[in-house]
C-alpha cells in the first residue's frame, strides 16, 4: 500500500466525504477518488459505504484506518530517532487525563520521571473519558489516564484499578465520623456536583434514577476547586474518586467516605493506549512509572481508606 493512498484514505475517513478531504488536502476530488479505488482493489473489499450524506467506513475500512494510524505513529517515532542521531533526542509524551489525575498525582509523576529522564517533554490535555478514548484511537495522544465505565473500539487497556465514587465532605461534617455511608443519608445534605460529563456524575445520576431518589444540587460546576471550596466551608457533600482527592484531603480539611452502592462501585481508573501500537520506549517507561505510582496510592487507600 502506497503512502499517498493511505494519506488520502485517512483524510476521507476523517472528513467523511471526498469533497471534505479535497478541501483538507488541497487535492482534486478525482485524484483522491482514484487512490481510494486503487486501495479498495488492492485489499479486495470496499473501504467505505457510500451514503447520500457522505462516506462511512466499512468494517474493512475501520481495520485499515487503525493500521494507517499505527503506521504513521511508528513512522514519526523512527524519524524522531533518526533526528536524534545528531544529538540526544527528546521524548515527547502526549497524555490525556481526567481532571482528578491531572490535578493530583500526574504532575508529580511527571516531575519524578523527568528526574530520571530529563529530556522528556510532556503535553497534558484534560479531557473527558470519551474524548480520551477518541484521541487514543485517532493517535492524537499516546496514553490516557482516565476513569471509565465502558470499553471503546481501537483502545487497549494496559492497567486498570477499581475506582469507586466516594462522598467527600469537611472533616467536621456530621457524617465524617462514619466509616461508610448510604446514599440516602448523603442526599439529605446540600450537594456540590460536577456536570454530566464526569463519570462520577453519570453514575450518581444512574443510581438515583434506579433507586427513585431525587437529586438536587446546591452547586454544579465543571471546576473541581470550586466544589472543594464549597464543601470545605459548608455542610455540603461532593462525589469523587478517592485517588482524585487523596492528595488534598489533609491540606483542605476534608475526608472521603465510601458509599454503599453497586453503581458507584462500578468505575475503573485505566491506563490506555492505541490497540496494537508498538509504543516508543519513552512512553512504555512512563506507563510503567505511572503504574508504580498508582499502585502506591492504592496501597495507601487499602491501609487507611477515607483518611
Amino acid at each position: 500500500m502506497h503512502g499517498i493512498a493511505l494519506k488520502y484514505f485517512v483524510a476521507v475517513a476523517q472528513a467523511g466525504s471526498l469533497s471534505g478531504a479535497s478541501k483538507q488536502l488541497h487535492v482534486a476530488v478525482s485524484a483522491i477518488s482514484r487512490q481510494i479505488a486503487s486501495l479498495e482493489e488492492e485489499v479486495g473489499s470496499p473501504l467505505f459505504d457510500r451514503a447520500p450524506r457522505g462516506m462511512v467506513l466499512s468494517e474493512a475500512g475501520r481495520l485499515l484506518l487503525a493500521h494507517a494510524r499505527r503506521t504513521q505513529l511508528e513512522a514519526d517515532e523512527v524519524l524522531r530517532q533518526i533526528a536524534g542521531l545528531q544529538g540526544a533526542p527528546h521524548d515527547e509524551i502526549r497524555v490525556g487525563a481526567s481532571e482528578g489525575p491531572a490535578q493530583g498525582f500526574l504532575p508529580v509523576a511527571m516531575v519524578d520521571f523527568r528526574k530520571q529522564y530529563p529530556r522528556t517533554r510532556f503535553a497534558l490535555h484534560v479531557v473527558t473519558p470519551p474524548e480520551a478514548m477518541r484521541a487514543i484511537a485517532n493517535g492524537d495522544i499516546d496514553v490516557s489516564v482516565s476513569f471509565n465505565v465502558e470499553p471503546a473500539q481501537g483502545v487497549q487497556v494496559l492497567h486498570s484499578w477499581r475506582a469507586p465514587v466516594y462522598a467527600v465532605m469537611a472533616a467536621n461534617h456530621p457524617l465524617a465520623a462514619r466509616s461508610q455511608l448510604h446514599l440516602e443519608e448523603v442526599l439529605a445534605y446540600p450537594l456540590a456536583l460536577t456536570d454530566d460529563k464526569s463519570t462520577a456524575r453519570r453514575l450518581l445520576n444512574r443510581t438515583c434514577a434506579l433507586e427513585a431518589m431525587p437529586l438536587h444540587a446546591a452547586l454544579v460546576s465543571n471546576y473541581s476547586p470550586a466544589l472543594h471550596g464549597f464543601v470545605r466551608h459548608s455542610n455540603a457533600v461532593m462525589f469523587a474518586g478517592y485517588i482524585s482527592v487523596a492528595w488534598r484531603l489533609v491540606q483542605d480539611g476534608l475526608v472521603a467516605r465510601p458509599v454503599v452502592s453497586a453503581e458507584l462501585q462500578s468505575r475503573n481508573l485505566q491506563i490506555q493506549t492505541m490497540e496494537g501500537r508498538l509504543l516508543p520506549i519513552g512512553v512504555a517507561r512512563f506507563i510503567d512509572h505511572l503504574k508504580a505510582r498508582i499502585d502506591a496510592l492504592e496501597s495507601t487507600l487499602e491501609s487507611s481508606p477515607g483518611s
Side-chain angles (χ1 to χ4, degrees), residues 147-171:
F147 298 108
N148 290 282
V149 294
E150 298 171 350
Q153 190 173 31
V155 173
Q156 180 178 1
V157 177
L158 295 183
H159 305 289
S160 182
W161 298 263
R162 195 171 63 86
V165 178
Y166 277 59
V168 181
M169 66 205 74

Side-chain angles (χ1 to χ4, degrees), residues 12-297:
V12 174
Q14 291 175 336
S17 67
L18 291 171
S19 59
S22 175
K23 292 177 182 177
Q24 175 185 326
L25 297 169
H26 304 289
V27 175
V29 169
S30 58
I32 297 174
S33 181
R34 284 195 299 272
Q35 292 290 347
I36 298 298
S38 176
L39 264 182
E40 290 181 324
E41 182 177 355
E42 184 176 354
V43 302
S45 177
L47 299 174
F48 294 96
D49 295 324
R50 276 69 173 177
R53 294 188 176 182
M55 300 175 70
V56 180
L57 284 169
S58 65
E59 184 62 29
R62 286 191 287 271
L63 289 173
L64 183 59
L65 180 61
H67 163 76
R69 285 171 169 162
R70 290 194 301 269
T71 299
Q72 183 59 59
L73 288 170
E74 290 167 12
D76 291 345
E77 174 62 13
V78 170
L79 291 176
R80 187 197 66 79
Q81 292 179 13
I82 292 172
L85 295 176
Q86 306 303 317
H90 289 278
D91 285 328
E92 181 180 19
I93 302 176
R94 303 166 301 163
V95 183
S98 298
E99 186 186 23
Q103 286 201 24
F105 63 86
L106 256 181
V108 179
M110 291 173 176
V111 169
D112 289 345
F113 188 79
R114 276 179 48 82
K115 290 176 182 177
Q116 188 172 2
Y117 303 101
R119 298 186 69 84
T120 302
R121 299 170 176 172
F122 288 101
L124 174 60
H125 306 274
V126 177
V127 290
T128 64
E131 290 170 342
M133 289 186 285
R134 283 196 297 270
I136 282 287
N138 292 342
D140 296 328
I141 59 176
D142 300 306
V143 57
S144 165
V145 186
S146 58
F147 298 108
N148 290 282
V149 294
E150 298 171 350
Q153 190 173 31
V155 173
Q156 180 178 1
V157 177
L158 295 183
H159 305 289
S160 182
W161 298 263
R162 195 171 63 86
V165 178
Y166 277 59
V168 181
M169 66 205 74
N172 61 357
H173 193 282
L175 297 178
R178 304 276 295 279
S179 60
Q180 65 179 16
L181 304 170
H182 292 278
L183 185 56
E184 58 267 26
E185 298 174 302
V186 179
L187 296 183
Y189 290 88
L191 302 178
L193 302 179
T194 57
D195 62 19
D196 290 335
K197 291 183 179 179
S198 75
T199 55
R201 177 63 188 275
R202 294 204 304 272
L203 288 176
L204 182 62
N205 289 348
R206 187 186 306 171
T207 302
C208 289
L210 289 172
E211 301 292 335
M213 297 180 181
L215 183 63
H216 304 295
L219 171 66
V220 175
S221 177
N222 64 349
Y223 185 56
S224 62
L227 301 176
H228 290 138
F230 192 83
V231 166
R232 186 168 65 249
H233 297 291
S234 72
N235 67 339
V237 180
M238 63 178 285
F239 293 89
Y242 182 85
I243 204 167
S244 297
V245 297
W247 63 281
R248 65 186 307 163
L249 291 177
V250 173
Q251 72 179 46
D252 285 357
L254 303 174
V255 296
R257 296 291 179 251
V259 181
V260 179
S261 166
E263 284 291 327
L264 296 182
Q265 300 283 324
S266 64
R267 191 177 67 161
N268 292 299
L269 176 66
Q270 297 179 346
I271 296 179
Q272 304 170 332
T273 60
M274 178 185 285
E275 187 176 30
R277 180 187 176 191
L278 179 62
L279 293 174
I281 188 169
V283 175
R285 284 172 176 162
F286 182 62
I287 288 172
D288 290 341
H289 178 75
L290 272 181
K291 180 182 183 300
R293 167 76 61 168
I294 298 172
D295 283 343
L297 288 171

